[in-house]
Amino acid sequence: MAPEGGIREGQRKITRSFSPGTAYRYLYKAFSLVPKGRHEIHICVGTACHVRGAPRVLDTVQDLTGIKPGETDLDLKFSLETVNCLGCCALGPVMEVDRKYHG
């Protein structure tokens, strides 16, 4: 999570205005405006994974966790994101949970 004060302080150190920093925060997925869950789930929805069943995987994960892409559950246990590619198309559909790939 990237708190407002931390972003402003970082910008002061690199002498940038607040406006570009806000853009960076939205541009890069590494920065988050909300707390992330202990377990981060990324589901590939790229072309290869999509045609091999990624929508069903995403639906199943949403049903099990009760959250949609871009959300974190209230217990801060899970965060769910979709990504365009995880780089292992031959294994599709693929999901990454806590930096471990499952296909």
Side-chain angles (χ1 to χ4, degrees), residues 44 46-54 84-95 101-103:
C44 179
T47 304
C49 288
H50 180 81
V51 299
R52 293 179 175 171
N84 291 329
C85 188
L86 287 171
C88 47
C89 301
L91 299 176
V94 179
M95 64 187 287
Y101 291 82
H102 306 275

Side-chain angles (χ1 to χ4, degrees), residues 4 27 45 53 56 63 66 74 90:
E4 287 288 329
L27 179 63
V45 292
R56 288 187 309 242
D63 291 344
L74 296 175

Side-chain angles (χ1 to χ4, degrees), residues 3-95:
E4 287 288 329
I7 290 173
R8 288 178 195 239
E9 180 63 28
Q11 289 168 341
R12 278 190 212 104
K13 289 182 179 181
I14 59 173
T15 64
R16 294 207 181 245
S17 69
F18 184 68
S19 181
T22 302
Y24 297 141
R25 182 171 66 180
Y26 288 101
L27 179 63
Y28 296 105
K29 284 197 168 212
F31 296 114
S32 174
L33 300 175
V34 295
K36 293 288 185 181
R38 289 187 305 272
H39 304 287
E40 292 189 40
I41 304 167
H42 298 104
I43 298 178
C44 179
V45 292
T47 304
C49 288
H50 180 81
V51 299
R52 293 179 175 171
R56 288 187 309 242
V57 173
L58 181 58
D59 290 343
T60 301
V61 171
Q62 288 181 109
D63 291 344
L64 292 172
T65 60
I67 57 176
K68 295 178 182 176
E71 295 180 347
T72 299
D73 68 349
L74 296 175
D75 299 332
L76 296 178
K77 189 172 182 181
F78 297 107
S79 292
L80 178 60
E81 298 284 341
T82 57
V83 295
N84 291 329
C85 188
L86 287 171
C88 47
C89 301
L91 299 176
V94 179
M95 64 187 287

